[in-house]
Every structure is written in structure tokens, then in C-alpha cells.
Amino acid sequence: MTTKPLPSLTPTGTCWCGCAKKVGTGSYFAPGHDKVAEAALLAVEYGSSVAQLLHGHGYGPGHSVSARAVSEGVWQKCHACDYVGAPASIANHTKKAHTIAEQAQAAER
């Protein structure tokens, strides 16, 4: 969750990527079209460069967007290593990357 106020958006029944496909109630995008829109925005605004996107918002070496996500409470840090991500990503990472013994040791810390 961002700390800056965001406008309230209302789904219109039409895909927001611009393809004009009809979408279900409560949806902004046809399946997968959120990623199409994201890639198009990155292309037109930042030359398809994530580095340019980060720089344009004041992030990069010395000012980590990942660290900010953790400090704002929208991401978490794995208790057993330095991995960071959304809560669902942390759960998936923990299941795949750490043994049960490692998880028990991390929980004791």
C-alpha cells in the first residue's frame, strides 16, 4: 500500500490496456493485459528501461526501492536470509529455498 493518496478508480467494463475488449464486472484488464499495459507504459515513458524508471522516481544505488517497500510495510524480509518481496512471494520463497530446520532456526531468532 502506498503512503501517497491515490485516486479512486472505477472499472468501466472495457480493458484499460486500450484493446477495447469487454471485461468482467470489477476488472480493469482482460487476462494478461495488465502486463501488456505495464510494458507499453515502460516503453513510451522510459524507453523500456527499468533503470530509467527507477531513476525517474529517485531510486537506484544508494536509495533502494525494495528497502522502501519493506520499511513501508508493503513488502517483507525473509527471516532466514536477505530475500525481500510481497508476503505471498516470501511464503513461496521460504517453501522452496529453506529447509524445515532452517525455518525453525530462523523462527528462534
Side-chain angles (χ1 to χ4, degrees):
M1 189 69 107
T2 180
T3 57
K4 67 181 178 181
L6 296 174
S8 177
L9 303 177
T10 304
T12 63
T14 303
C15 183
W16 279 40
C17 86
C19 72
K21 286 188 179 190
K22 298 295 177 201
V23 297
T25 303
S27 295
Y28 295 97
F29 298 99
H33 289 211
D34 55 334
K35 292 299 180 182
V36 170
E38 183 180 47
L41 178 65
L42 189 62
V44 299
E45 296 291 334
Y46 300 100
S48 296
S49 170
V50 174
Q52 290 291 339
L53 168 72
L54 290 171
H55 175 76
H57 289 272
Y59 297 104
H63 191 219
S64 168
V65 68
S66 299
R68 179 165 180 212
V70 171
S71 73
E72 301 248 341
V74 295
W75 272 19
Q76 298 172 352
K77 183 179 178 295
C78 176
H79 296 291
C81 69
D82 290 333
Y83 182 85
V84 296
S89 294
I90 294 293
N92 189 43
H93 159 80
T94 301
K95 281 190 264 181
K96 290 182 176 181
H98 302 294
T99 66
I100 293 172
E102 286 176 318
Q103 292 173 27
Q105 288 173 348
E108 291 174 3
R109 291 184 210 152

